[in-house]
Amino acid sequence: MDKLILVRHSETEGQHEDSPLTKLGIRQAQVLAAFLEHSGYEIDRIISSPFLRAIETIKPFAENNSMIIEKDERLEERILSRDPLDDWEEVLHDTFKDPELKMAGGESSLEAKERVLSLIDELEAGVEGNVLLVTHGNLLALLLQKYNREIGFMDWKRLSRPDIFLIQKQGGEYTVERVWKD
């Protein structure tokens, strides 16, 4: 794999897997498509979370370039808890401090990271070219920790919708660059 382009989905109406993009989110997806088309990154493959908001975010780019959107469940957002949490942001903060912390019916940070890294390992082992992944904020922050161990809760809070990070190997080391401009 030459370049890995990580995309967080656009603004959405909710957190359910079938939540659509808002009107602003639809416009953001169109701006994202234009950005990617003019970025100079040749994208060979698109792999997305199967959640509707992720698919809708990359669909304009995929359609404009006659590309197939592959769906991979390993890019689904991490489930913090199956039960509603009034203090979900505080709990999320705690999961960055304790990667093994797990709420009822949820997934720990460690489990979510292992899930997404299994996809990255496959891509690194056998894929040539540039791959674009579309995912969700919490999982994106956990994935970025592979390349920068210092990524934490405050970095997650600073993510925009959408957001784009470029990962590439230079001189044997990975570099991470936020390329999206709000």
Side-chain angles (χ1 to χ4, degrees), residues 48-66:
S48 176
S49 159
F51 285 16
L52 181 61
R53 58 188 177 268
I55 298 292
E56 285 185 341
T57 295
I58 201 59
K59 192 174 184 178
F61 175 78
E63 287 179 345
N64 291 349
N65 292 278
S66 303

Side-chain angles (χ1 to χ4, degrees), residues 85-118:
L85 298 172
D86 291 334
D87 60 344
W88 68 269
E89 199 167 323
E90 185 177 318
V91 171
L92 183 62
H93 176 269
D94 292 345
T95 67
F96 275 95
K97 291 201 176 294
D98 179 0
E100 294 183 26
L101 179 63
K102 186 173 178 175
M103 305 307 292
E107 190 177 31
S108 71
S109 291
L110 186 61
E111 291 169 330
K113 190 189 294 187
E114 287 174 353
R115 170 170 50 92
V116 73
L117 290 181
S118 71

Side-chain angles (χ1 to χ4, degrees), residues 154-165:
M154 292 309 295
D155 299 291
W156 166 80
K157 278 191 77 94
R158 285 190 288 269
L159 292 174
S160 64
R161 273 180 263 159
D163 216 332
I164 306 174
F165 290 83

Side-chain angles (χ1 to χ4, degrees), residues 116-133:
V116 73
L117 290 181
S118 71
L119 172 60
I120 300 302
D121 291 345
E122 281 178 24
L123 294 172
E124 288 177 343
V127 174
E128 292 184 22
N130 300 330
V131 179
L132 183 144
L133 302 180

